[in-house]
Amino acid sequence: MAAMLLLGFAAARWRRPTDIHTLEEWGVGGRAFGNWVTWFLLGGTMYTAYTFVAVPALTYGVGAIGFFAVPFAIITTPLAFVFTARIWSVAHRHGLLTPGEFARARFGSPGLGALVAVTGILATMPYVAVQLLALRAVFRTVGVTGEWPLLAAVAVVSLSTFRSGLRAPALLSIAKDVLLAWIVVSALLVVAMSSGWAGIFRRAGAYFASTPSPNDGLLLAPTGQLGFVTLVVGSVLSVFAYPHAVTGMLAAKDRATVRRNIAASPVYCLVLGLMALLGFFALSEGIRPIDGDLNTVMPQMFHSLFPGWSAGIAYAALGIAALIPAAVMSISAANAFTRSIYRCYLRPDASPAEEARVSRWTSLVVKFGAVAFIVLLDPSYAVDLQLIGGVIILQTIPAVFLGLLTGWFDRRALVAGLVTGLAAGVFLLWDTAQTGADGRVVKAHFGGSSMPVGDSTIYIGLVALAVNLLVVLVLTALLRLLRVPPGRDETRPDDYVADADDPMVKRLDEILDGLPNRPAGAHARAGGPRSGSVPGHVDLSLEHVVPGPRERPRHRHVADVGRRPDPRNTFGRE
C-alpha cells in the first residue's frame, strides 16, 4: 500500500505539463487522457472499494436485494453513452469543468450554477465518507484500531493529490485494477476449492429461511419488488450525476475515448455480480462480521480463507480502491466550489494559478471533512448520509442532464424545483423510521432511503425528483404564458457534438479568462465586433488563418500572439 501511495507522488512527473498550476491541468489532467487511462480512471472512480465491500455485505445481510447494483450498472451504460459524450463536447468548446458551470451557461443563471455546485458538494461529502468506511473496515480486520490509521492514510493521499491533481488517482487506478483482478481470481479459486455454488446457495437459503425477517432471502419478497425497481432506477439516474463522474469523462481527450469506455464498462458489471455472490459464499462459510459491522464481512473472509500474503494484497487493493475515488471526489467538489462560487462571487478576476491553488486547499477540506463524519458521528449514520447523497444529487437532473437535451426550462423554475425537491427529499428521509425484524422501531429518523407505500416501499429519491420535475414544468409553462424573458443560453446545438478536431475546441491553458460568452468567431459572422466587450479586457476571439489545400486549419488566440506555442496542442502549432 505504501508503494502504491509513493506511485501517487510520482504521478506529478507523469506526462508533466509545462505548467501544472492551472485548474485544467490539476483538475482534469489537461483533458489529455487516452483510452486506457480513461478506462482505469472510470473504473477507479465509479467502481469503488465501497462497491466491493458494501455489495457483498448487503447480500450477506438481506440477500437478493443486494443485487440491485448489477442491473443499475448495466442500465447506466446506454444512458451514459449519450449524455457523457454531449457534456464532453459542450464542456470542451466552452471551457467548462463542472456541472454547475454548464447549468449557468445553458440557462444564463449564475445563481442556478452555484446552487447545482453546492448540491453536488453536499452529495459528495458523505460519499467520500462511505469510501473511508471501507478503509476503516480493513484496518479493523487486521487489528489496527483507533482513527489515527485512517487519518494517516487520508493525509498521505491528500498530499499526493495536492501535488499531482487528477494524475495521481489516474495512475493509481491502473495499479489498483491489477490488484483487484488478483482479488477476483483468488476468490474464484477459494470458491472452487469449497463445495461449489450449489452448496453455497443451499446453505445461504437455509440461513435466510431461519431468520425472523420476511424481507431477506435468495429471492425478492413480493413486498420488496417495487422498492427494488425504484432503487435501480434512482441509482441509474444518480450515478453519473455526481460531479466526480463528470470529472472523469472531461479528462478524456476526445468523444471517441468517452464512448469506447462507456461501451466497455459492462465488463465491470461481471465483476460486480461475482462480488455480490461472494456475500452468499461468506455466509455459507460461517464468516462473522466484527462487532456486527457488515462492512468487515469481506475483509474477514480474506482473513479467514486466504493465505496471509494473499490477504495482505487484498487488503492493500481495498485500501487503495477506497482512497482513489475519495481523491477524485474531493477534486471534483473543489472544482465545483472554485468555478461556480469562488470565481463567480468572490474573485471574478481570479487567475488560473489562483483557481488551482484554491481548489487544492478546498480538496483537503473535503477529504478531512469526510473523516470528521466518521470520527464524530455513528458510522451507521454515515451510511445513511450516503443514501441521502443519492437523494440530493438526483435533484440536479433537470438542470444538468435534461439541460443537455433541451433549453426550454426557465432558470427560475429550475431553481424553485431544485429547492423544492431537496426539501421534499430531506423531509421524507427524516420521516423514515428503521424497524427491526420484530417490528420495533430501531431508529425514528433517517432510517433508510425507501419509504413505505402500503405493503411495499419506494425509493425516496424518485419521489423527490418527481416533485422537482412537476414544479419545473408548471412554473416554466406559466412563465412562458406570461412572456417572461428566459435566461440567455450561451450554447448552440452544434456545441453538443463538437470533437477534439473542432477548431473552436481550445485548451484552457491557452485562455486567460475562459471562452467568450458567444462562440469564438461569432462576431465575425455577425459582421462586427463582439457585443458586450469591456474596455481594457483582452479580446479572446480566435484569429482564423485560411489554410492551403494540404494545410490543417491554424487558430491562434489573439492573447497568445508572441507566446511560445504549446507543442502538445495541435491547433497551437505555427
Side-chain angles (χ1 to χ4, degrees), residues 401-461:
F401 278 85
L402 294 185
L404 289 170
L405 301 177
T406 177
W408 179 77
F409 301 128
D410 188 89
R411 54 182 178 173
R412 291 162 285 257
L414 287 168
V415 171
L418 200 158
V419 172
T420 305
L422 287 175
V426 172
F427 172 77
L428 291 174
L429 286 166
W430 177 85
D431 194 49
T432 301
Q434 179 183 356
T435 58
D438 54 0
R440 291 188 301 175
V441 176
V442 178
K443 185 183 294 185
H445 302 293
F446 296 110
S449 60
S450 296
M451 59 183 288
V453 179
D455 294 333
S456 301
T457 59
I458 187 170
Y459 182 50
I460 291 174

Side-chain angles (χ1 to χ4, degrees), residues 150-194:
L150 189 63
L151 290 170
V154 173
V156 173
V157 78
S158 297
L159 291 174
S160 66
T161 54
F162 188 89
R163 182 187 181 195
S164 308
L166 195 65
R167 284 176 170 80
L171 189 58
L172 286 174
S173 293
I174 301 174
K176 184 268 298 182
D177 272 16
V178 174
L179 295 184
L180 285 180
W182 172 264
I183 292 181
V184 173
V185 173
S186 300
L188 287 174
L189 289 174
V190 171
V191 171
M193 292 185 292
S194 70

Side-chain angles (χ1 to χ4, degrees), residues 1 5 132 135-157 319 323 368 371 374-375:
M1 187 172 177
L5 292 175
L132 300 182
L135 181 59
R136 190 169 76 166
V138 172
F139 286 140
R140 292 187 66 185
T141 302
V142 299
V144 181
T145 59
E147 307 300 341
W148 67 266
L150 189 63
L151 290 170
V154 173
V156 173
V157 78
L323 294 173
F368 286 97
V371 174
I374 299 176
V375 174

Side-chain angles (χ1 to χ4, degrees), residues 546-563:
V546 178
R550 296 187 180 181
E551 191 177 10
R552 292 178 59 90
R554 293 180 294 145
H555 297 78
R556 296 184 65 190
H557 281 85
V558 174
D560 288 338
V561 174
R563 179 187 299 179

